[in-house]
Amino acid sequence: MADYSSFIPRLTVVGAGPGDPELLTLKGARVLAQADVVLYDALANAELLTHARPTARRIFVGKRRGFKALEQEEINALIVSEARRYGHVVRLKGGDPFVFGRGREEMLYAAAHGLATAYVPGISSAVAAAGHAGIPVTHRGLSEGFQVITATTATGSLAPALVEAARGRLTTIILMGLHRLADIMTLYSQQGQADTPAAVVQNGTLPTAQVITGTVATLAARVAGAGLGSPAVIVIGAVASLAHGQAAPATPADLRPLLAYARVA
């Protein structure tokens, strides 16, 4: 039980980073050490729990495709009940909690129920997983920007934003989309992007990381053949051809001069 002389029911949402436990921020580690309760997700590396005090309550509330320890409404209610009973609740969420992590949603619910709230950013897998594989989301001569998109809507259909993304020249990072990879690649092919370099990075930043590269036309078959699974990020754009240890995929003719320039820049 928390010390009632300084008892303040509160929530701190902490980004756990992309997987490698050493990529937790110093502030994230300090806040974990102050927690009375840690509610942690499936994508938060379990090694991070060693930063918490031995007396801190540890509760798994992870959600993965096909499995939910708790529904989101139950997690929201648990945050409030644990904070009121024990004091400081740390919500440890993979990547950055404000990148498709519902972190602000949980903070708003907690605040509406009288809790003080705070946020500690984390390194997002949208950038770090690709980067760990040697794929920068921007690169001089190849990409002037990037966009991060969730693969599906709440109903399970492909996100409408994918259509607009497929028409652009920015690097596109797609999260939570491996189960719809073939559909996404078909959509991109229909927008004239069949020859665009693309990659899937599984378990980015971890020793078990795997990278498959190809083009929009070939990637789905290569990934299926390699048996890759979640968690994984999808990268679409010329920068995917820069992955470590991968033979460069076919590159559209209009991008070849840029690619040659990028490799010496």
Side-chain angles (χ1 to χ4, degrees), residues 50-160:
T50 61
H51 292 288
R53 293 176 297 168
T55 56
R57 287 167 55 80
R58 296 161 171 80
I59 304 174
F60 176 72
V61 293
K63 292 180 288 185
R64 296 288 285 271
R65 179 169 172 76
F67 170 78
K68 295 181 181 179
L70 294 173
E71 296 291 340
Q72 185 61 50
E73 294 75 12
E74 294 175 302
I75 294 172
N76 292 345
L78 187 63
I79 289 170
V80 173
S81 63
E82 292 291 305
R84 287 175 174 171
R85 183 175 181 184
Y86 294 100
H88 187 191
V89 172
V90 167
R91 184 72 169 92
L92 187 63
K93 302 172 75 72
D96 183 282
F98 279 17
V99 181
F100 299 119
R102 306 183 82 162
R104 185 59 176 152
E105 182 179 326
E106 293 178 358
M107 290 174 68
L108 290 171
Y109 183 93
H113 288 77
L115 273 61
T117 63
Y119 159 66
V120 179
I123 296 174
S124 175
S125 62
V127 175
H132 183 255
I135 303 172
V137 294
T138 63
H139 191 87
R140 185 169 56 163
L142 290 184
S143 173
E144 297 178 349
F146 69 98
Q147 52 199 337
V148 181
I149 300 173
T150 183
T152 57
T153 65
T155 62
S157 59
L158 287 179

